[in-house]
């Protein structure tokens, strides 16, 4: 009864094989094959196995190289997208700052006396102050409205960019992002 007891056991321990298996010769004594033909066949088989292993290694290395190139390309594209988004946001903020500055300069120009001359009586000063406050209030309302529009545009831009990059927001804000 020559059976292997367990493959999980220690192979240095010969208890995994029966005694009669150890005594069995590799080539049967009454076999017509000689040792040289068996050795040649074994060598040929080993050469074929070696070629298959080398081919598999080469294919694996090629796939790894392609994957590395793909990752580098994706990183560079993501960086370029980020740079474009940042420059767009910075450009929009600069434009808003310039427009607010122009509006505030326009308010100063609309006030009576150009803002430089101070009226002498209290009623005239109060009227000038009310007009300036009304102008500032109007400019601030316009600024808030434009800020809300700009915020909406930026949110749409970010949502579009996240959608094109594969990020989804489900029932929440940007803090609950998940990758598709």
């Amino acid at each position: 009864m020559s059976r292997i007891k367990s493959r999980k056991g220690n192979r240095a321990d010969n208890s995994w094989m029966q005694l009669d298996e150890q005594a069995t010769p590799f080539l049967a004594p009454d076999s017509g094959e000689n040792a040289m033909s068996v050795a040649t066949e074994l060598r040929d088989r080993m050469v074929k196995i070696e070629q298959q292993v080398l081919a598999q290694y080469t294919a694996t290395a090629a796939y790894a190289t392609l994957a590395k190139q793909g990752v580098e390309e994706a990183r560079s594209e993501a960086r370029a997208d980020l740079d474009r988004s940042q420059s767009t946001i910075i450009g929009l903020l600069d434009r808003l700052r310039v427009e607010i500055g122009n509006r505030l300069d326009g308010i100063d120009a609309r006030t009576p006396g150009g803002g430089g001359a101070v009226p002498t009586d209290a009623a005239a000063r109060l009227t000038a102050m009310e007009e300036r406050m009304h102008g500032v209030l109007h400019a601030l309302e316009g600024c808030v409205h434009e800020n809300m529009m700009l915020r909406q545009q930026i949110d749409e831009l970010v949502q579009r960019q996240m959608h094109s990059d594969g990020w989804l927001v489900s029932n929440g804000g940007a803090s609950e992002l998940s990758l598709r």
Side-chain angles (χ1 to χ4, degrees):
M1 186 176 242
S2 60
R3 293 190 174 179
I4 298 173
K5 288 184 180 177
S6 171
R7 291 197 168 270
K8 294 180 183 178
N10 185 357
R11 294 218 180 221
D13 183 17
N14 288 337
S15 65
W16 64 277
M17 287 179 27
Q18 295 294 329
L19 185 62
D20 61 342
E21 284 185 24
Q22 293 175 356
T24 306
F26 182 71
L27 294 174
D30 57 345
S31 168
E33 301 178 7
N34 64 14
M36 185 59 97
S37 66
V38 171
T40 303
E41 183 181 340
L42 286 175
R43 186 179 60 79
D44 290 343
R45 287 183 180 182
M46 288 300 294
V47 167
K48 287 179 183 178
I49 290 173
E50 181 181 17
Q51 290 173 348
Q52 289 174 351
V53 168
L54 288 176
Q56 187 68 32
Y57 175 77
T58 303
T60 302
Y63 288 134
T65 302
L66 291 173
K68 183 178 179 182
Q69 290 172 351
V71 166
E72 292 299 322
E73 184 178 326
R75 278 187 187 147
S76 66
E77 288 177 10
R79 183 64 191 174
D81 289 343
L82 177 65
D83 291 343
R84 280 192 300 273
S85 297
Q86 285 178 343
S87 67
T88 301
I89 290 172
I90 290 171
L92 290 172
L93 290 174
D94 285 342
R95 191 175 88 192
L96 178 65
R97 185 172 35 108
V98 167
E99 287 179 9
I100 289 173
N102 290 340
R103 284 194 180 178
L104 290 178
D105 290 343
I107 291 172
D108 285 342
R110 284 188 282 173
T111 58
V118 179
T120 55
D121 67 338
R125 287 191 326 197
L126 183 58
T127 304
M129 176 97 47
E130 286 176 351
E131 287 178 8
R132 289 181 90 191
M133 290 302 290
H134 184 278
V136 168
L137 182 61
H138 182 65
L140 285 175
E141 287 173 354
C143 178
V144 167
H145 179 69
E146 285 185 13
N147 192 1
M148 289 172 52
M149 288 176 47
L150 180 63
R151 178 178 285 162
Q152 182 182 6
Q153 289 173 350
I154 290 173
D155 285 343
E156 289 172 3
L157 178 66
V158 168
Q159 290 295 328
R160 194 174 329 137
Q161 186 68 34
M162 288 185 340
H163 182 67
S164 67
D165 287 345
W167 288 93
L168 298 175
V169 178
S170 60
N171 298 332
S175 64
E176 299 175 6
L177 292 176
S178 64
L179 188 59
R180 264 195 263 194

